[in-house]
Amino acid sequence: MIKSDTIPTKVEISSNTTLSIIRDCFQCGLCTSICPLRKVSKYNPRGIIHSSLLGHSLGNDDLTTCLTCSQCFEECPQEIDFPAFIRESRSKIVLNEENFAHNNIFNLLQIFMAEMTESGMKFSFEGEINSESSIAYFPGCVDLFDQFLNLKTVKFHQIGQSAMNLINKVGIKPNLLSLKCCGHDAYWTGDTELFEKIRKYNEQIIRKAGISTLLVSCAECYYTFEELYKLEGIKIQHISQFIDQHQSKLEFKENLTKVTYHDPCRLGRFMKEYESSRNVLKNTGASLIELANNRKNAICCGVSSWLRCDDQSRAIMLRKLEEATQAVGNDGNLVVGCNKCYAHLNCVLEDKKPQHEYQLKVKELGIFVDELSNKNN
Amino acid sequence: MANNCLIIGGEIAALRATKDLIAYGISVTLVNPSNELGKISKMFQSGISDFAFKKNVLRSHLEGLESNINLNLMNNAQITKIIKNQYPFEVEITQNGTTQNHVADTIIIATGFEVFNAEKIEEYGYRYLEGVLTIFDLEMAFQQQKIPINEKTKRIIFVLCVGSRTLKDGGNPDCSTYCCSYSINQALRIKKEFPSIDVVLMYMDIRTVASHEYLYNEARKSGVLFIRGRVSSIERAEDNLITFYEDTLADSQDVLPADLVILAVGGVPLSDYDEIAMNFGVQLTPNRFVKITDKPVYTSTPGIFACGSACDGVKNVPQCLSEGGAAAMAAIQFLAEKTEK
């Protein structure tokens, strides 16, 4: 008679706690149906959930390809947080860094900054600063992008400069905090230990500064400080919310600018902030034309946590540029509220890999508003 | 005055109709082919299967029923001949070898269903492979507290749609409608009582109708594993059983060992009663259940009504209860019309 243990079964039921995130799945496939990666590859969230529940371990590609853009979680009828599942799974294996974008320089810099430097990033902007202010501004990793991305048409430093200009224009002199990178990427690549180190350092600096509001330009900073730091008593504000709040103190040049808006995943689907950017854009006098896929259905910019920037990423970016061009034409603007989206989309716009004809401008929200607003009122 | 009703059957739909009619003062002759009332219904009402409707719903229907003066209960009885198939109806009833003629003003067919005989699917080895049981065997084991699970039990596999949704082996081409909820409830109970045991359900589609979706949700949460694919065969290995199947969501042929395999058997129409229904002039569906006309519980013969799993197809307990009530109402209406004339 056959012995059952001589017959190899592919099922290995495991009580792995990460699986509790996905146990509710009934395999409807809605996630795979709307996954932006699935439109350009064979990536299959449903299949990944299925094989995980059967006890199969996930491969490096399964884990690093996901953009954690959360479109699947947004729609999932069983409310399965697939991005959280991917993040937790990442934390359990060593990711193969070979395919990481820009030779993984940005994740290495984050480690370097967290482990080997005594202080945070230093910034220098024109404008009035007050180290006693209750409002502090943190621009994010902008200067690092300038140093290592080497884009010719885009200066990331300008994100911070424009924000400073706007803050001054509404009559506020902010404190400028020398924080380390917020740790978003450490968290999402699954390096919880590194993230905790960064968080502790930053929290201490923020507390010491005695501020009540921390203003940030990047959607990832906003999500990270608000959701992951949970700083009691300190309000985190995204630049769009800040401008929206001080709308009445800004005046705008007459203009015929056409603009469309890309909802960054961390600001939109993660933080449910869809209105402030739109209010701000409408108030500039520019005509706002929506993307075909917007708000909770906005398609990811194509890269997440510098994990991958491959053909699939590029295909998604080009799709975004196509969608934006259909909305505002070649002479219009695609405004984003996230430093990362700004970097990725400008990167593909500039290096033309693969070859394309898109000519519209991709602008960061603060920069766009600063350009259209009058110097001082 | 027309005021007597013949009900054929003895399960929950028949009991509901009986209760409603005798409460209305109509005398009921209940011809029950089985030796006790609610023999199948009690599989849905106690032990680990009390999910189907309110607990004790069967008991509340049986209470005080047999002593009711308006009820003539005939257990182990059969309709053996139809003498007149229109109002007033006349039939021959055989009970314990003796026959009698009986006149009825109206008739309700509530014969329920017969549990599919799993032995007909040879590949599953029911009755000759140790460890292969049906959901009702498991239920009875729980009711009698002879639970076939011990510390050596590592995995239990439920095989769904056994004898349902098939044109083969004398099964029912329709869905039984209870086997998903029933099996999932059993799986969930086992998982909760014995968390270290792997509980796997092999299914084709999950149809937890009505309000039973919560069972499916809870089962997944508790770690019951669902694999989509119809089991092709079960074999005995040295120390346990092996199931063969295709995981259709993974496009992968696979096998899975188990200590117990539980077959979720469906229901088929009662084998002897389709002939009787036809002799009443009542039309049948292609799957040999009593056919219902445009009006619910009305058969193609005036004065003959049908309810529960005897008509259309196998149904769950709440549906049988409401159809039993509806059939009683229709019978009362029919009797009233006959009385007026």
Side-chain angles (χ1 to χ4, degrees), chain A residues 140-246:
Chain A
C141 306
V142 288
D143 292 340
L144 291 177
F145 291 1
D146 278 328
Q147 260 173 299
F148 293 95
L149 280 178
N150 255 330
L151 294 187
K152 290 178 199 74
T153 50
V154 170
K155 286 286 162 273
F156 292 94
H157 186 77
Q158 188 60 40
I159 295 176
Q161 186 58 61
S162 290
M164 279 298 300
N165 296 348
L166 286 167
I167 300 166
N168 284 170
K169 276 179 196 174
V170 303
I172 293 169
K173 294 170 195 167
N175 192 354
L176 202 56
L177 289 190
S178 177
L179 301 175
K180 293 184 180 186
C181 154
C182 68
H184 172 275
D185 294 351
Y187 183 79
W188 278 96
T189 49
D191 197 340
T192 315
E193 215 177 297
L194 184 69
F195 171 74
E196 273 306 307
K197 234 178 225 178
I198 299 170
R199 189 189 64 78
K200 275 187 190 134
Y201 177 86
N202 283 345
E203 178 165 3
Q204 176 208 328
I205 300 286
I206 294 168
R207 292 281 179 214
K208 228 185 244 174
I211 55 166
S212 60
T213 303
L214 177 62
L215 173 58
V216 293
S217 278
C218 179
E220 290 186 352
C221 290
Y222 175 61
Y223 153 76
T224 307
F225 288 128
E226 178 75 23
E227 282 293 297
L228 306 180
Y229 280 45
K230 300 254 180 243
L231 298 166
E232 214 175 294
I234 293 173
K235 184 178 167 188
I236 312 295
Q237 225 180 6
H238 184 252
I239 187 76
S240 62
Q241 298 166 326
F242 176 83
I243 304 171
D244 193 19
Q245 188 192 338
H246 298 279

Side-chain angles (χ1 to χ4, degrees), chain A residues 2-4 9-10 24 50, chain B residues 220-221 238 247 253 255:
Chain A
I2 34 173
K3 284 189 176 178
S4 69
T9 173
K10 294 171 199 157
D24 283 357
H50 185 62
Chain B
R220 295 197 310 279
K221 264 194 226 313
E238 200 171 38
D247 179 345
Q253 195 188 46
V255 296

Side-chain angles (χ1 to χ4, degrees), chain B residues 160-161 165 180 202-208 216 228-229:
Chain B
L160 268 58
C161 299
R165 306 173 72 193
C180 281
M202 307 275 187
Y203 70 99
M204 296 204 293
D205 296 290
I206 294 292
R207 295 174 170 175
T208 42
Y216 183 28
R228 198 184 81 183

